[in-house]
Amino acid sequence: NHTVRVEMAKIDIKKKKNQNPNVPHNPSLYKKPFVESFEETPLMVAVLTYMGYGILTIFGYLRDFLRQWNIEKRHIARERDEQKDFVPLYQDFENFYNRNLYIRIRDNWNRPVCSVPGPKMDLIERSTPNYNWTFEYTGRVLKDVLNLGSYNYLGFAENKGPCADAAIEATQAYGVGVGSTRCEMGNLDIHEELEQLVARFLGVESSMAFGMGFATNSMNIPALTGKGCLILSDELNHASLVLGARLSSSTIRVFKHNNMQSLEKLLRDAIVHGQPRTHRPWKKILIVVEGIYSMEGSIVRLPEIIALKKHYKAYLYLDEAHSIGALGPNGKGVVDYFGLDPKDVDIMMGTFTKSFGAAGGYIGGKKELIDYLRCHSHSAVYATSMSPPVAQQIITSMKIIMGEDGTTLGADRLRQLHENTTYFRRKLHDMGLIIYGNEDSPVIPMMLYMPAKIGAFGRQMLKKNIGIVGVGFPATPIIESRARFCVSAAHTREMLNTVNISDSWQSKYVRRLKYINETLTYYK
């Protein structure tokens, strides 16, 4: 069988060399149009962005020089002179970005929220006497700030309603904590009910719940692969997936984001050449992808990946942290969105922290897989069981999505999320703004590019009573800083209409730069 696979891979090497990586390679696999937009950074914007970072770097070194000679006050921790022979705890060059660049716009992050993070929220006002090194509370509260930063896709993060009532009842019956692991004295009937419900919701044989979403990836991937195995990971995968792959001791190779040509080349090479030095066949080849990429707003090209993994006899690990509950006509994630069979995905992973308004994560798949993880996963054997009210929150919200509560509330929220996503994306596009991602993704990145605009835009939005998330280097490429909007089913049309950037400096600036770039391209 391995010989046949090698020969087939050699034949495929000569195919598909000139295909565009930005469009589906096999459109026949899609039941509806797959539309994503990633506009290349304009040349003038890239030049000005690099210039901005260069100026900030020069002034950073100048300020470090002044701090060294005690001309400027030091606000950061430093090594004691008597400990200079020890391994340094603080690497000056590694912390340079935090000291001199991030500190300038630090006030845009970690704002204290003092209410339910629903469609609107209350923020505690802060002031800084030393340019963002420390903060002080003014005693004022900013009321009814429009929340466009939380992953509350279906609006279940609330303190009233059926989910909150059910969580209160679970707290009275079980308490707020278990104080033990699942394999000792922490396995409750509510945990068994949750796992059975998740398996039924996903359409798989069995599932397993974990108390932490990050640990679901980082602690379970090492249990699935090891030495002699190959992991093919998307270059934009989440840090939990990257950590899990590194802890597994498997060989890791990275393919370009959502690029099927890059993935197929790695698969062919893996089969033809085998393991390094010995050239033995790999024990396992595991493809690791996400459903929705939270920084790009893009959706995985799952039909093509499933076709590749079947053709090359690989396994597929799908992280649906952002897509479960937010995509598909039934809210069952990216598999439901494309109308595919859940059995074609070997390991289905997701979290309860977004669409379900709770905490923790899950893994679904064949019964043999889940039984194996119950015995070999560190997160299952050593971690404390999920809190009972959290489990009840998930059960209630999932039943609402499935319509098992006897109402149409779940279907209404799914429809409202899709309508809000479409409306808000179109609204931003009509303002002349550059936005990234798939047209059906509730994660909507708006490009800012320049470092100074991250802080300025965040502060400007807060003045308009709008809370957003700004993202820059090193979380994104240096010339692709952005603001990220997360739309929720709890948002009303009136709330979304308050986001008006068309008359601000932001939209005018983008339109001017696009015009300059088009002019330069024309003369070029």
Side-chain angles (χ1 to χ4, degrees):
N1 290 335
H2 175 66
T3 304
V4 174
R5 291 167 62 194
V6 170
E7 294 300 324
M8 292 175 61
K10 289 181 178 178
I11 294 174
D12 290 339
I13 289 177
K14 299 180 181 180
K15 298 180 180 179
K16 303 178 182 178
K17 288 187 177 180
N18 299 319
Q19 295 182 358
N20 186 353
N22 296 321
V23 298
H25 299 156
N26 297 304
S28 60
L29 297 175
Y30 296 84
K31 299 179 181 179
K32 59 180 180 179
F34 186 78
V35 181
E36 289 190 345
S37 174
F38 298 97
E39 184 173 332
E40 186 177 356
T41 304
L43 176 62
M44 182 62 67
V45 176
V47 172
L48 294 176
T49 301
Y50 280 120
M51 288 178 59
Y53 276 105
I55 293 172
L56 288 172
T57 302
I58 292 173
F59 274 91
Y61 280 114
L62 175 61
R63 299 188 71 175
D64 279 352
F65 175 79
L66 297 177
R67 294 185 187 113
Q68 184 178 359
W69 291 94
N70 295 323
I71 300 175
E72 181 176 331
K73 183 179 179 181
R74 288 176 179 261
H75 295 279
I76 56 175
R78 55 179 175 172
E79 299 287 346
R80 296 179 179 178
D81 293 336
E82 58 268 24
Q83 295 178 340
K84 62 181 180 180
D85 294 330
F86 286 92
V87 176
L89 293 176
Y90 306 100
Q91 297 288 347
D92 285 341
F93 184 77
E94 293 179 5
N95 293 330
F96 178 86
Y97 184 88
N98 288 336
R99 290 197 310 271
N100 299 298
L101 279 78
Y102 168 72
I103 200 69
R104 296 172 178 266
I105 54 177
R106 186 183 169 205
D107 57 301
N108 284 275
W109 290 274
N110 301 328
R111 291 169 177 157
V113 180
C114 56
S115 68
V116 176
K120 290 188 176 183
M121 58 185 175
D122 298 338
L123 299 179
I124 300 177
E125 188 180 62
R126 299 180 300 178
S127 65
T128 174
N130 48 17
Y131 302 100
N132 293 339
W133 285 104
T134 60
F135 294 98
E136 298 175 352
Y137 297 129
T138 64
R140 293 182 60 247
V141 175
L142 304 178
K143 293 284 188 179
D144 296 329
V145 177
L146 182 61
N147 183 6
L148 289 173
S150 296
Y151 303 131
N152 185 24
Y153 296 129
L154 294 180
F156 284 116
E158 51 194 1
N159 59 0
K160 58 183 179 180
C163 291
D165 296 339
I168 292 173
E169 294 178 3
T171 303
Q172 294 172 344
Y174 296 96
V176 295
V178 178
S180 179
T181 61
R182 289 285 298 274
C183 60
E184 293 176 322
M185 299 295 293
N187 189 33
L188 305 180
D189 57 347
I190 196 172
H191 296 138
E192 299 283 347
E193 179 186 359
L194 171 61
E195 292 177 343
Q196 293 173 8
L197 180 64
V198 170
R200 187 154 50 87
F201 179 68
L202 298 176
V204 296
E205 294 180 7
S206 182
S207 73
M208 188 173 183
F210 304 88
M212 182 181 179
F214 192 98
T216 305
N217 280 330
S218 60
M219 293 290 100
N220 283 290
I221 293 179
L224 295 171
T225 62
K227 290 185 178 179
C229 298
L230 174 64
I231 293 179
L232 303 180
S233 177
D234 190 290
E235 65 178 345
L236 297 183
N237 275 343
H238 190 262
S240 60
L241 293 170
V242 175
L243 177 61
R246 290 175 176 175
L247 292 176
S248 69
S249 300
S250 302
T251 301
I252 305 171
R253 291 174 184 165
V254 180
F255 61 91
K256 296 179 182 179
H257 174 56
N258 245 355
N259 190 318
M260 298 301 104
Q261 280 183 297
S262 177
L263 174 60
E264 187 170 12
K265 183 180 184 304
L266 290 179
L267 285 167
R268 290 197 306 260
D269 292 344
I271 292 174
V272 171
H273 301 295
Q275 299 184 41
R277 295 189 299 274
T278 64
H279 300 291
R280 294 177 180 174
W282 295 98
K283 296 178 181 178
K284 297 176 192 170
I285 299 178
L286 181 66
I287 304 172
V288 180
V289 294
E290 294 186 47
I292 293 179
Y293 292 84
S294 60
M295 287 297 176
E296 306 296 319
S298 59
I299 298 176
V300 65
R301 294 175 180 174
L302 192 59
E304 296 182 72
I305 289 182
I306 289 179
L308 287 176
K309 81 107 180 174
K310 287 182 176 180
H311 183 70
Y312 292 100
K313 303 298 187 294
Y315 296 96
L316 176 59
Y317 187 106
L318 175 63
D319 180 345
E320 293 215 75
H322 289 269
S323 55
I324 190 69
L327 283 182
N330 302 304
K332 297 182 179 181
V334 68
V335 177
D336 185 32
Y337 174 78
F338 288 111
L340 303 173
D341 188 352
K343 296 180 181 178
D344 290 335
V345 180
D346 301 287
I347 303 103
M348 299 185 69
M349 177 270 171
T351 63
F352 303 120
T353 58
K354 281 84 176 176
S355 297
F356 303 97
Y362 67 83
I363 283 185
K366 293 183 178 180
K367 188 176 184 303
E368 293 83 357
L369 168 71
I370 303 304
D371 291 342
Y372 175 84
L373 288 177
R374 292 189 192 278
C375 299
H376 294 83
S377 169
H378 288 79
S379 187
V381 177
Y382 299 109
T384 303
S385 300
M386 180 184 292
S387 174
V390 173
Q392 186 60 57
Q393 163 78 18
I394 302 167
I395 292 173
T396 306
S397 58
M398 190 172 291
K399 286 184 176 180
I400 291 175
I401 296 173
M402 299 171 69
E404 294 186 0
D405 62 331
T407 68
T408 61
L409 180 60
D412 294 341
R413 296 197 183 203
L414 291 170
R415 183 181 65 255
Q416 186 65 43
L417 175 61
H418 178 71
E419 292 177 357
N420 287 348
T421 299
T422 303
Y423 175 77
F424 196 68
R425 278 186 171 273
R426 185 176 67 249
K427 189 171 184 288
L428 293 180
H429 185 270
D430 292 342
M431 291 179 188
L433 302 170
I434 301 175
I435 58 175
Y436 272 11
N438 192 286
E439 60 180 6
D440 292 326
S441 171
V443 179
I444 307 172
M446 187 192 77
M447 305 310 294
L448 297 175
Y449 299 114
M450 300 183 186
K453 290 165 64 179
I454 303 174
F457 184 74
R459 298 183 191 109
Q460 185 73 14
M461 288 293 100
L462 190 60
K463 289 181 181 179
K464 296 185 176 183
N465 235 31
I466 300 171
I468 59 99
V469 174
V471 188
F473 181 82
T476 65
I478 195 169
I479 59 173
E480 293 184 7
S481 300
R482 64 199 67 178
R484 187 179 61 181
F485 301 101
C486 294
V487 181
S488 169
H491 289 135
T492 63
R493 188 65 58 90
E494 290 73 19
M495 294 178 185
L496 298 179
N497 284 335
T498 61
V499 184
N500 187 3
I501 318 171
S502 59
D503 296 330
S504 68
W505 54 270
Q506 165 67 18
S507 182
K508 295 178 182 178
Y509 189 71
V510 170
R511 285 199 296 268
R512 289 171 184 169
L513 287 176
K514 290 178 69 176
Y515 172 76
I516 293 173
N517 185 66
E518 291 172 358
T519 305
L520 291 174
T521 303
Y522 172 77
Y523 283 108
K524 183 180 178 180

